[in-house]
Amino acid sequence: MASSDTIPQIPAPWTLTGVTSWTFLCSPLSPKVSFPSGWANANEADTLVDGTFVGGPSGIMIIRYGASPAGPYDELLYIPGRWTDASGQTGFRVTRIYVSSLVSVENGRKNWNIPKHLANFDFTPEGKNTHVRVTVPGYQQPFFDAVLSPVPALFSIPASTGILGQYMKMIQPPLPASPEEQGVVATTSHASVTPVLQGSTRLYTLKYNMHDGKLTNGFDFPAIAPWRLGFQISDGTTEFGLPEFYTV
């Protein structure tokens, strides 16, 4: 059931437009600290720990893609920090990620080894705020429930991750399949890619229903405490280029 003939195959590169994203950092993890509960899908944790964890910036992103080769879709992801693998490459790694599109699930895994799974997203305007709820298919209780609020400002400023160059590289190990989930296919090689996100940025705050001071209960998404102040990029464009596949 993992792959389906009804899911179109859309190879890289991808250009995604009409992007609105929110980024909230967490306190950096030490290389010697255990990962938070829920940092990865239980079926994928053994492969996603591949290499040497070196720490660095960590955080979550909430993203809405207005248009992409896979159509419009929403996304929620967690990055614990940076790894160095046996090839000597160092980069960030997405270890937990949900999207609202099966096309994005399967193609994201095949194109870049991004461990995508399907979820339902609800974005509800509440005045100037946005209430975000994310649920696992078949369940009504959201595992992610947060309110995003703009910080009053007179202007936004243009920004691009392109100025950071190869520092933004992602290195993703091969993934196992999940026979119970459509689109959750296996991959066989390591992959690296350096995505570029650009748009207009402004400050935002994050308010969430706490689980013992954490963002979630640590099952479907990591039990972390993101900083309450982050930033939004709007009217954005994301470039996900051709991956480099390699073995270690």
Side-chain angles (χ1 to χ4, degrees), residues 2-3 12 38 48 68 72 82 87 97 121-123 128 136 143 154 157 181 189 192 202 205 222:
S3 186
L48 286 169
S68 82
R82 292 163 61 80
S87 75
I97 178 170
F121 288 72
D122 179 73
F123 289 80
K128 294 182 179 181
V136 173
F143 66 83
L154 296 178
I157 59 174
E181 296 181 77
S189 299
S192 68
R202 65 179 299 180
T205 62

Side-chain angles (χ1 to χ4, degrees), residues 73-76 97-102 104-105 116-121:
Y73 67 92
D74 303 317
E75 186 170 85
L76 170 67
I97 178 170
Y98 293 92
V99 294
S100 59
S101 159
L102 274 176
S104 178
V105 169
K116 296 184 177 184
H117 291 259
L118 188 67
N120 298 317
F121 288 72

Side-chain angles (χ1 to χ4, degrees), residues 42-219:
N43 187 48
E44 297 166 344
D46 286 345
T47 185
L48 286 169
V49 79
D50 173 80
T52 301
F53 181 67
V54 296
S58 66
I60 67 168
M61 295 184 71
I62 306 149
I63 311 173
R64 308 205 76 182
Y65 297 108
S68 82
Y73 67 92
D74 303 317
E75 186 170 85
L76 170 67
L77 64 87
Y78 171 64
I79 297 176
R82 292 163 61 80
W83 268 261
T84 298
D85 65 23
S87 75
Q89 295 199 60
T90 298
F92 290 98
R93 180 172 298 169
V94 176
T95 63
R96 204 80 198 251
I97 178 170
Y98 293 92
V99 294
S100 59
S101 159
L102 274 176
V103 178
S104 178
V105 169
E106 181 162 324
N107 285 279
R109 296 175 75 92
K110 287 182 174 180
N111 289 344
W112 305 284
N113 286 354
I114 300 176
K116 296 184 177 184
H117 291 259
L118 188 67
N120 298 317
F121 288 72
D122 179 73
F123 289 80
T124 302
E126 296 179 351
K128 294 182 179 181
N129 305 328
T130 302
H131 196 157
V132 184
R133 301 176 182 88
V134 187
T135 57
V136 173
Y139 290 83
Q140 294 185 341
Q141 183 68 28
F143 66 83
F144 181 92
D145 188 343
V147 176
L148 311 172
S149 303
V151 174
L154 296 178
F155 56 88
S156 59
I157 59 174
S160 173
T161 62
I163 65 173
L164 299 174
Q166 289 299 300
Y167 180 76
M168 298 305 295
K169 177 190 288 187
M170 295 168 51
I171 57 171
Q172 300 286 149
L175 300 170
S178 176
E180 296 80 19
E181 296 181 77
Q182 190 176 7
V184 180
V185 296
T187 60
T188 57
S189 299
H190 287 69
S192 68
V193 66
T194 305
V196 176
L197 170 61
Q198 58 186 355
S200 298
T201 186
R202 65 179 299 180
L203 295 176
Y204 256 74
T205 62
L206 174 71
K207 180 180 179 181
Y208 47 87
N209 294 329
M210 294 190 296
H211 297 261
D212 295 326
K214 305 296 184 182
L215 177 65
T216 75
N217 61 11
F219 182 72

Side-chain angles (χ1 to χ4, degrees), residues 13-61:
W14 283 19
T15 297
L16 306 97
T17 59
V19 178
T20 302
S21 71
W22 296 265
T23 301
F24 296 94
L25 298 177
C26 303
S27 297
L29 295 176
S30 164
K32 297 182 180 180
V33 172
S34 298
F35 295 117
S37 59
W39 74 281
N41 181 282
N43 187 48
E44 297 166 344
D46 286 345
T47 185
L48 286 169
V49 79
D50 173 80
T52 301
F53 181 67
V54 296
S58 66
I60 67 168
M61 295 184 71

